[in-house]
Amino acid sequence: MDQEDFCQALGLDPDAKYESTAESERLGSRLGRLAPVAADRAIVPQAFRVDLLSAVTFNVIMGNGDAHSKNYSLLLGRRGEVSLAPLPVAVEVSRSTVRSARGDRARSVRTARWCVRSRRVGATVRVR
């Protein structure tokens, strides 16, 4: 099984691991560009979308500001099927960081905003 990070999958230079605002405004977000294409090649497209959004959400909640395009990777199967590779970077946090991430950061990440982002990558959204 082969693996390629999101920079490779998008044909970007390895040094371009951080997405710029200008790139996002010009081309759309990397997540939004990659997710639909990769999900279409996944064995279970909806599961791929959920896995990807779960990984991104985890990094946001944990306050991992270094979750760039080289920290997310695709596993490529023999028949061309795609799945999300496990997150390679463990975020080391203290209890106070987790409390802060759950508090201030969690409040700033609104449910509606995540619903919009989820729909952009083709995920079905249910808010409870």
Side-chain angles (χ1 to χ4, degrees):
M1 184 168 284
D2 290 324
Q3 180 172 330
E4 60 182 36
D5 62 46
F6 280 18
C7 280
Q8 292 169 309
L10 290 167
L12 300 172
D13 186 275
D15 293 332
K17 63 185 181 180
Y18 296 104
E19 180 175 357
S20 70
T21 302
E23 175 192 354
S24 183
E25 289 173 351
R26 193 174 72 255
L27 302 172
S29 74
R30 289 181 183 179
L31 198 59
R33 295 187 333 246
L34 185 67
V37 176
D40 286 346
R41 293 180 53 197
I43 293 173
V44 181
Q46 184 62 16
F48 175 87
R49 291 180 186 103
V50 169
D51 289 348
L52 179 57
L53 288 168
S54 294
V56 171
T57 302
F58 170 79
N59 278 315
V60 168
I61 289 171
M62 295 310 292
N64 183 3
D66 194 41
H68 50 70
S69 296
K70 294 191 69 60
N71 286 139
Y72 295 97
S73 294
L74 301 172
L75 298 175
L76 310 172
R78 288 185 186 151
R79 292 184 277 269
E81 69 276 12
V82 169
S83 60
L84 189 65
L87 292 177
V89 178
V91 181
E92 209 172 294
V93 294
S94 67
R95 288 183 187 265
S96 62
T97 304
V98 173
R99 260 188 254 111
S100 173
R102 284 191 195 140
D104 298 337
R105 184 177 293 274
R107 277 191 288 275
S108 69
V109 179
R110 303 276 184 245
T111 302
R113 184 174 172 193
W114 281 104
C115 288
V116 168
R117 287 182 180 185
S118 299
R119 288 186 183 107
R120 283 185 188 152
V121 299
T124 302
V125 178
R126 284 184 295 208
V127 179
R128 295 179 193 192

